[in-house]
Amino acid sequence: MTSDPARPFGRVLTAMVTPFAEDGSIDLAGAQELAAHLVDRQAHDGLVVLGTTGEAPTLSDGEQSAVLEAVLDAVGDRATVVAGVGTNDTAHSIDNARRAERLGAHGLLVVTPYYNKPPQAGLLRHFTAVADSTDLPVMLYDIPPRSVVPIEVDTLARLAEHPRIVAVKDAKGDLGAVMQTLARTDLAYYSGEDVLNLPLLAVGAVGVVSVVGHLTGPRLAELIAAVESGDLVKARAVNESLLPVYTGVFRTQGVILTKAALRELGLPAGPVRPPLVDATPDQVAQLRADLADGGIPL
């Protein structure tokens, strides 16, 4: 687990899929095996569970608790485990946060409330209420493509005054807003959009919360180290080597092809739950070609 206040959750984190059995039930042993693989063999110092890539919207509260507890048991002594607890209901998000704290989570990921399009005053109240509900550090998740509403720079500056709101997972695609927020706050930024890992690191992000990290953890660690050492030539080379992987995994919804890749590699994954659908044979064939171009033979 990280002890660096500049990186409250570590450097390389993956938004971990939730493995399912073929009948669609939770595969807790598989979740533990995958978590251990990511930490021990893919250079991760942290995991985010129960996020979008973990298909949290299709998991019951009981299932979410079981997955979080299983992952903590597997790797909680050697990696930072961050629990996705955000919903579009403040009261439910608070309940999730308190449950995650009771189970031993090391931090919370709180997404912008989606669908109901709150104004900035509503975002400020929502995030503050969740942060007030536990003693755990909070990473905000700013992702307008899913939530519609961005967290504006002024709102982020006000939220940064909260002692437990310490980081942002950024998938906004607005480098100018990121730079403005970094200049005005001490929030630790994590890239939440793999194709923008390099530019976000270059303007001051401290790490990544990745989807392709299921497959490329060591190279993401290499990318971060190159940026930090000032070796942008190497950083661009590493980033270029990852571009086919970014393309391959995100030709459709990221969890669909990530699970397909994990299945091809013999790692726990299983099917996706509706309303998602599993990759077709043609999509798997394209994925194989993309990942081979990125140095990952399936």
Side-chain angles (χ1 to χ4, degrees):
M1 293 181 289
T2 182
S3 58
D4 182 354
R7 286 187 183 77
F9 302 104
R11 292 188 183 195
V12 179
L13 297 90
T14 275
M16 196 181 100
V17 304
T18 301
F20 297 133
E22 289 306 313
D23 65 0
S25 62
I26 296 286
D27 178 6
L28 293 178
Q32 291 188 313
E33 181 184 341
L34 180 60
H37 170 80
L38 294 173
V39 172
D40 299 334
R41 303 190 63 184
Q42 283 289 328
H44 289 66
D45 46 14
L47 298 173
V48 174
V49 297
L50 308 177
T52 308
T53 307
E55 298 178 78
T58 68
L59 302 182
S60 70
D61 287 353
E63 288 175 325
Q64 291 192 24
S65 294
V67 170
L68 176 58
E69 196 164 19
V71 171
L72 284 164
D73 285 346
V75 300
D77 60 338
R78 59 191 188 280
T80 302
V81 178
V82 181
V85 298
T87 71
N88 63 343
D89 171 11
T90 303
H92 190 191
S93 302
I94 288 171
D95 287 344
N96 287 349
R98 288 174 173 162
R99 186 173 65 250
E101 183 179 43
R102 288 195 301 271
L103 292 173
H106 305 132
L108 306 174
L109 178 73
V110 186
V111 70
T112 310
Y114 39 84
Y115 186 74
N116 37 20
K117 296 178 67 174
Q120 294 298 305
L123 297 187
L124 184 66
R125 180 178 293 184
H126 173 84
F127 288 127
T128 300
V130 178
D132 281 344
S133 69
T134 80
D135 291 324
L136 295 176
V138 170
M139 179 188 292
L140 306 176
Y141 188 9
D142 192 4
I143 182 166
R146 292 183 184 274
S147 68
V148 180
V149 180
I151 312 175
E152 294 178 0
V153 174
D154 287 345
T155 305
L156 286 163
R158 292 184 66 185
L159 289 166
E161 297 171 4
H162 195 291
R164 286 184 293 283
I165 296 176
V166 297
V168 178
K169 177 186 176 186
D170 183 83
K172 187 155 54 183
D174 185 343
L175 292 173
V178 171
M179 290 187 288
Q180 290 176 20
T181 306
L182 287 168
R184 291 178 57 181
T185 75
D186 58 359
L187 289 168
Y189 259 73
Y190 288 80
S191 173
E193 189 170 358
D194 277 308
V195 74
L196 294 182
N197 285 341
L198 176 56
L200 280 163
L201 290 165
V203 300
V206 300
V208 299
V209 178
S210 174
V211 175
V212 304
H214 285 91
L215 311 169
T216 62
R219 276 195 277 171
L220 291 174
E222 187 180 12
L223 175 66
I224 295 167
V227 173
E228 290 185 340
S229 69
D231 190 348
L232 292 184
V233 172
K234 181 176 181 180
R236 286 194 294 268
V238 175
N239 186 65
E240 186 173 332
S241 79
L242 288 166
L243 291 178
V245 185
Y246 298 157
T247 298
V249 169
F250 291 106
R251 286 187 184 273
T252 184
Q253 216 273 14
V255 64
I256 293 172
L257 291 176
T258 299
K259 281 194 163 183
L262 292 172
R263 288 194 298 269
E264 293 292 303
L265 291 167
L267 291 165
V272 295
R273 280 185 174 178
L276 300 182
V277 292
D278 288 313
T280 65
D282 286 347
Q283 287 175 321
V284 174
Q286 179 64 63
L287 178 64
R288 282 176 166 274
D290 291 329
L291 295 187
D293 287 344
I296 304 171
L298 294 184

